[in-house]
Amino acid sequence: MTSVTVTVPATTANIGPGFDCLGAALTLYNEFTFTTVDSETPLEIIVRGDEATKVGTDKDNLLYQAFLRLYHHAGLTPPPVKIEIGLKVPLARGLGSSATAIVGGLVGANELAGKPFSQNDVMELAIAMEGHPDNVVPALLGKCQLSVGEAGNWEICEIPWHDDVVPIVAIPDFELSTEEARAVLPKDYSRQDAIFNIAHMGLLIRGLETGNGNWLSKAMDDMIHQPYRLTLIKGYDSVKLAALASGAYNVVISGAGPTLLALAYRPQAEYVVTAMRETWMMEDVEADVQILSLDQMGTKVIY
């Protein structure tokens, strides 16, 4: 038997104007242990965590599908495997839970198969499975990453993140699927909206690098996805206003939502946490609000 454990960070995608191309890894993790077994049963999956009952344990499990994808891509026969999942990244909340499964399955398979593929190869497979790079790239590499290009020709650029800029995630007790969040988006945008997002994206990159609060306050606005998705998130307006009043630079939808991401100057972070939690409570929504940090390592492998 051979066993390998893969730890993959949660991610927050878009950060306002960086739709489908910008994402950051956060200090919240899913853990996946793969053990090859001598068995006629090709698969056993054990899931632990608060939402364990929501995760499928058959061959359609996304983690296992990614595992198979790598073996098939390598032209190898996948071995019978026991998979143990330690679930800490909440499902369908806009924190990249599917990206952790895709990256975890690919990396775990690559390790057990003897590393036939480079990290860049694994990244290409992950982007192809997810359909866009904003979550899977930082989940694999860590830190804040900007992805530009197309299949087989990606340029990945690390975006510096100032130590004083603290990410705060407010995770409500309801789900929102990526499919539902994408369905509300328009098919076309005006030139004015495109210019708006280009300008704000540039300012966001400089704001994250320098920690300039005035820049961050303006830079996190966008016209591509948030105006259409905010109506899907109960209490969005009141929670955002409360966070801003408590010192947050700005509040955005994390990925497809419904989690909200606030960025704040470190001394203000606890005030923002309290404001977001209590305001959502007044909307009859229980929310887990956490101060996190930028994950520096990305996916980690332990034998």
Side-chain angles (χ1 to χ4, degrees), residues 28-159:
L28 183 66
Y29 304 92
N30 280 341
E31 184 177 274
F32 311 106
T33 298
F34 303 85
T35 305
T36 58
V37 294
D38 296 323
S39 172
E40 294 182 1
T41 303
L43 175 65
E44 178 187 3
I45 298 178
I46 299 170
V47 188
R48 301 181 180 91
D50 290 343
E51 296 182 295
T53 57
K54 298 180 180 179
V55 177
T57 56
D58 60 13
K59 63 181 179 61
D60 293 327
N61 179 284
L62 182 59
L63 180 74
Y64 186 60
Q65 286 296 309
F67 183 88
L68 293 179
R69 176 73 171 267
L70 186 128
Y71 270 92
H72 292 159
H73 192 67
L76 299 172
T77 301
V81 65
K82 174 182 177 182
I83 300 176
E84 298 171 80
I85 299 173
L87 200 62
K88 291 189 177 177
V89 179
L91 303 171
R93 299 299 208 290
L95 287 170
S97 60
S98 64
T100 70
I102 291 169
V103 171
L106 292 172
V107 170
N110 198 48
E111 294 291 325
L112 291 180
K115 294 186 179 179
F117 299 116
S118 68
Q119 185 182 64
N120 190 69
D121 293 333
V122 171
M123 183 190 75
E124 288 275 359
L125 286 171
I127 296 172
M129 283 195 72
E130 178 83 339
H132 38 88
D134 51 353
N135 282 306
V136 293
V137 171
L140 181 63
L141 303 180
K143 302 181 180 179
C144 183
Q145 305 288 346
L146 173 64
S147 305
V148 180
E150 58 281 319
N153 188 30
W154 289 102
E155 288 292 341
I156 308 302
C157 176
E158 180 188 332
I159 303 301

Side-chain angles (χ1 to χ4, degrees), residues 170 234 239 260 276-285 287:
K234 181 180 180 181
V239 173
L260 300 184
M276 296 181 83
R277 181 188 297 117
E278 292 183 351
T279 304
W280 236 329
M281 195 175 297
M282 288 188 286
E283 300 276 350
D284 295 321
V285 174

Side-chain angles (χ1 to χ4, degrees), residues 207-283:
L208 290 172
E209 179 183 7
T210 61
N212 186 310
N214 290 332
W215 290 352
L216 287 172
S217 296
K218 183 174 290 291
M220 293 167 72
D221 292 338
D222 97 295
M223 296 299 292
I224 300 298
H225 68 108
Q226 293 188 118
Y228 308 98
R229 289 174 165 172
L230 61 87
T231 57
L232 302 176
I233 301 173
K234 181 180 180 181
Y236 172 88
D237 289 330
S238 57
V239 173
K240 179 173 181 175
L241 287 172
L244 294 176
S246 299
Y249 294 135
N250 210 331
V251 175
V252 294
I253 301 170
S254 179
T259 292
L260 300 184
L261 169 74
L263 298 185
Y265 181 50
R266 192 169 298 278
Q268 300 298 123
E270 289 289 354
Y271 300 108
V272 175
V273 167
T274 301
M276 296 181 83
R277 181 188 297 117
E278 292 183 351
T279 304
W280 236 329
M281 195 175 297
M282 288 188 286
E283 300 276 350

